[in-house]
Every structure is written in C-alpha cells, then in structure tokens.
Amino acid sequence: AAEARARRKSLEMQAHERREARLKLERQLAALTAQHRDVIGRAPDAARLTALQAEGQSLLGEHEAIDTALLEAEAHAIATSSTVTAARDGAQSTRLAAERLAVEVETLFKLLKPQGEVVFPPIVDSLTVEPGYETALGAALGDDLEVPLTQDSPVHWRSNKPEVADPGLPKGVEPLASRVTGPLELARRLAQIGVVDAADGPRLQAQLKSGQRLVSKAGDLWRWDGFVAAAHGDSASAVRLAQRNRLGGLAGELDTLQAASKTQLAAEAKAIATHREADEHLRLQRQRARETQMRLAEARQALTIMEQQARETQQRLASIAEAREIAEEALADAGERLAEVEIALETLSEANPFEDQLAIVQEDAAEKRTAYANARAELATLDREHKARLARLTEIGAEITRWAERKTSAETQTADLRARLEASLEELEMFAELPEMLAEQREKLLSAVADAEAARQAQADQLAAADQTFRTVQTELRAAQAAVSTTRETRARAEARLEAARQRRADDGRKTRETLGVAPDECLALAEHAVDTPLPALDDVDKQLARLKGDRERLGGVNLAADDDLARMTEQFDGVEKERLDVEQAIAKLRAGIGELNREAKGRLDVAFHTVNGHFQKLFGILFNGGEASLKMIESPEDPLDGGLEIIAKPPGKKPATLSLLSGGEQTLTALSLIFAVFLTNPSPICVLDEVDAPLDDANVDRFCLMMEKMAEETDTRFLVITHHPQTMSRMNRLFGVTMAEKGVSQLVSVDLELARKFVEQAA
C-alpha cells in the first residue's frame, strides 16, 4: 500500500513539477520576447552613428588645421618677442647713453653756474674759445680772466683806444684774438697775444714788442720782457672754458641721442603692439584649439558611447536569441515529459487491496504503542523520585555538619563580645570626669591668652611711640647735617675766592713791576695822579686801554716772511682747489653712477614686470578658462623702485576688481597665476606645492593640473605636490603616502602610476 501510494504521489508531484516548469518556461519566453522588443527599441540610430562618425572626421581635420595655425602663431609670437627684446635693448642702451650725457650736462652746468649771487661776474664768462685753445688763453691772461667788466668794481676791464696803433705781432704769428670771441674791452689785449708752437716760442720771443706775448696750445708763455713760463697744467679759468666748450658739444650730442631715443622708443612701442597682436592671435588660436579639442573629445565620447551601445545591443540580442532557443527546446521537452507522467497516472490502478487490512493492523499497533509508552513513562517517574530522595539525604547530612560548625563559632563570638563589653564599661567609668577637666583647663588657657594679648598691645604702643621719636630725631639730625654741610661749602667757597683774590693781587703786582718797573704803591705817582683825586671809572679805563692796544696792533710791524707765507698759502690754496675739483668730479661721477644704477634697476624691473605680466595674463586665462587680468605698478613719487604692485582681475562674467574683492577660490587661482608667472620668468629645478588645491572645486582642480602638466613639459621643473584631492593624485606620475596597516604602526608606501599605466596597457 505504501509503495502504491508513493508511486501515485511521485507521479502527481512529477506532473505538478512538469506543469510548473512548462509555465516557467512560457513566462521566460514571454520575458525574452519583451526584452527583444525593448533592446530593439533602445538600439542606437544607425543614421545618428554615421553622422557622429562624419562629424568626428570633420572635427579631426579642423583640429589639425588649427594646430598648424597655432604653430605658425607661436612662431610669429616668438619672432615678435625677439623683435621687442631687440628694440627694447636698443632703446634702453640709447636711453642710458642719453641719461649719462644729461647727468654730465647737468653736472657741468652746476659747476659752471656761479655759487650764490655774483655781484661782479668775471670776464671769462663773456668769452667763447675754440676747443683746444682754452689752456693757451688761461696761460696768456692768467688771473686777469677773473676781473669783471663792471665799472663799479675796484678792479675791472674797460675799453682804452690808443692814440697810435699798437705794433703788430712777428710775421707768421697767429693772434689769439682769431680763436677767441669776447667783449671789446679785451680785444686790444688779445691782439697782442700770439699762438705759436712750443718749439718756435724761444726763437720768436726776441721779435716781440712792448706788451706782446706768445703762448702755445699746451700753455707755454713767452713775454716781451724776457719772462718765460713753461706749461704747468690748466688754470681754473682754462678748465672753466674747456668745461663750457664741453657743455656746448654735449648739448648737441644730447639732442641727437634724445631724438634717436624717441625714434627707438616709437619702434619699441610699435614692436610691442605687434607682439601684443601676435599674443592675442596666439591666444585666440589656442582658445580655438581648446574649443575644437573639447568638441572633438565630446564627439569621440558620444561616438564611443553609441558604438558601445551598438555592441552591447548586438550582444544582448544574440544572448536573448540563444536563451529563447534553449527555452523553446526545454518547453518542448517539458511537454513531452508531462504527457508521459499523465499517461502513467491514468494506467495506475485506483483500487488498493491492502488498505482495509492495513487499517486494522495500524489500530492494533497504535494500542500496543500506547501501553508501552505509558509503562516507560511510569518507570522513568519512579527512577527520578528515587534519585531525588538520595540527593536530599546527602544534602541534609551536609547541612547538619554546617549548623554544628556555626553553633561553635557563635558561642566563641558571644564570649568575645562579653569580654569587650566589660572592658568598654571600665573605660567609660574612667573617662567620665575628663570633660570637666578639659573645660577647666580651657578657661585657664583663655585667661592666659587674654593677659598675653594685653601685654603685647602695651608693648606695641610703646614701640610705636619709640619709632615716632626715632624718626623725629633722625629728621632733625639730617637737617642739622645739611646745615653743617651748607656752611662748610659756603666757607670753602669764601676761602677759595679769598685765595684767588690774593693770587690775582700778587700777579697784578708782578705784572706792574715787570711792565712799569715800579711797585704797585708807586703807580699813582708814576701816572701823576694826585692821591686825594678820585680814580676814574674802571669801564672807561678798560675802553681806553683797548683802544690804545687796537691802535698799536693796527700799526703792526714789518713781516719779512710775507712772500714765503704768500707762496705757502698759494700752494695750500691750489691744493685745496684741486682737491675741491676732484671732490666735485667724484661727486658727479658718483651721482652719474647712482643714476645709472637706478636706471638699470628700473629697466630690469620694467623688463621683469612686463615678462611676469605676460605670463600672468596667459596663466589667468588658462586657469579661469577666459577672463582678463593684469598687474599695475604703484610708483612712489620719491623713488619708483619703492613702489607697490596692484593686481586687477576680471574672471569671466565679472567686472574688474582687486584681489581682496574676489571669492576664496578665485583668490587662490589668481594667486597661483601670479606665483607661476614669476616662476616661469625664472624657473627652478624643484617646486613644492602644499595643499594649493584645497579651496578649489573639481573643474578648477582639473585646470590647475592641466597648467601644471604644461609647465612640467615646457620647463625642467619637477613638482612635489602635497594634496588630499583624488583628482590631483590621479594626474601625478608617482604617489607617496603613509598608511597604518596595524594600529600604532605607520608605514611609507609609494605607487608609480606611470609604470602601473604601462602594465595596464600591456595587459590590455
């Protein structure tokens, strides 16, 4: 019966499973059909894919053309930059030469300008001498060149027409008047001075008439009376004339240089304008290249996405078709198996001859199983009760033992408590009178303390009175000592004055004896002054004595060494004058050097400023993807080198503003542009950047990384970047970091991204 039932149940379960499998396969086929329709509906448009491919080819050609134009624009910008540099160098050198000449002209003008107000200007300021004849004129006239024309001067030049014509110079001698242009007052003197060679002077001196003289260009002098003076250097007047001639020549050179400087400045401005146009064209080409590259990248990305979608669609359609074929085969197989199971169920006999007998046997077995179970349950209950009784007896014995021990311990503890009670009672009786004794002793101590405090107060009052008395006595003692000291000082001063008076009296007596030859008491008799007549006033006597001494001093004496003193003083004056000229020349040279250094520094500052400004504008446009920025010099009125620098930034879509008015990210990008602009002007081997991308968003970080990569390509600089931004770390060549694999244990790790990228490319 069990086998029959199991066979039927198995067949029914198989039929149910076959039906479920067939339903599942039918649902799977329906789902595959729906997926097929959905995939076909989502498949990319072939026309759109073809259009994207054509657009990509067009953009690629346009990008190549823009690259070619960009290379040409870069070459043109480099050429214009070289032209600007050459023009700037030429203008700078010409400007420096003009400034040097201007400094020299200014120095000569200051040297030739009279110091202070000149009442009687010398005649040398009215003369014009051909270059090279200044020394000859100075040797011929000497100090006469310093004499003025003004008639009010005690010493002056004036016109003096002779009644008889002056004699002429020796034959062949050129008069100095042909080389000198000056006032008429000096014409007669210049006509009697001839200019000859140094070798002909001694020969022609014998032919000179009265008042005539010969000079050489070097400064040699031959006079008609036989006086000869060899050339001994340029006089102050000759130097002044030479400086005036030098000033006139420098003025022409300065005008020429200034004109040339203006021309070169115009050429420089034109070259700068051309260079700016080239830079602007280069910037536009680069912007077009970036835009075309972005469009090409977007087209390539869209084309890649569509091609990937097409491949995925084909793969999914193929997998759906394969799964559908498998599902159809499984559905057919499941139908065949279900038919076989249904046929087997139909052929299985419905009647079971063992069912009735099976029910009787099962009822009898159930009764016997019940009796057996009851007997086993009763036996288990009795066994449990027996074991519980044995355990309880064991526990009772143990409890009896414990209670006996506790009884013994309680008796011992009771005896101890009784003994402690008796001892406590005895101690309580002994300390019963202690509080009264302590109170009595406390009262005695308080009385003693009060007496001691009263005694201390009395002693303190006595001490205060004694201190007051001591301070009063001490004040009086100081006053007395001060009075004694003052009296001693007064007495000492009086004694000193008395001693000084005595000494002066003795000195006056000695001087009287030495001067007049008589004792002081006999002076009145020597002066024929009566004893009874009053003495004249001391002030009147002093004034009369001073007047008489002045008269004596004005009379003076004969100085036999006056010529030697004059020669010595003249030599000293010439030395001082020469030193003054040297100092003035040194001051002029020093000022010229300082001016040249300032101009050189300003020129270099201008060059560096323009270079940094160009890099700053370029990098600002890269980091902000547009916009404008510039640097502005704030010059100091005293010294341009002490001026400041102002940053004007105009991000895309904003008005020009200073750096303090920008946001945090914009300030960071602007500061990075300026820092890297200075860095590009003078790059270094290593550049360390610490958390510079912290305030930037992802788009700005990408621009920052792009700029850093370009700088690394254009220069030999290696960048060491400290960052936590994943986008920045992904653009690096190598990563270094610290990890803590175990708690409290740090470990340095490094990753070579370039090597890892090569491994991935090789694996692909």
Side-chain angles (χ1 to χ4, degrees), residues 133-203:
Y133 289 88
E134 299 90 351
T135 304
L137 180 62
L141 296 181
D143 295 337
D144 294 343
L145 290 172
E146 300 296 329
V147 177
L149 294 172
T150 307
Q151 302 297 321
D152 296 336
S153 175
V155 180
H156 60 271
W157 285 92
R158 70 177 181 180
S159 179
N160 184 20
K161 297 182 179 180
E163 296 179 357
V164 180
D166 294 329
L169 293 171
K171 185 177 181 180
V173 176
E174 180 185 9
L176 184 59
S178 62
R179 303 293 181 177
V180 179
T181 303
L184 295 176
E185 288 81 357
L186 203 63
R188 188 178 179 187
R189 179 71 176 273
L190 293 175
Q192 295 300 312
I193 300 174
V195 181
V196 297
D197 293 334
D200 297 335
R203 177 177 59 82

Side-chain angles (χ1 to χ4, degrees), residues 451-467:
D451 296 339
E453 179 65 23
R456 185 196 66 78
Q457 186 65 33
Q459 294 295 328
D461 294 339
Q462 294 178 2
L463 179 61
D467 287 340

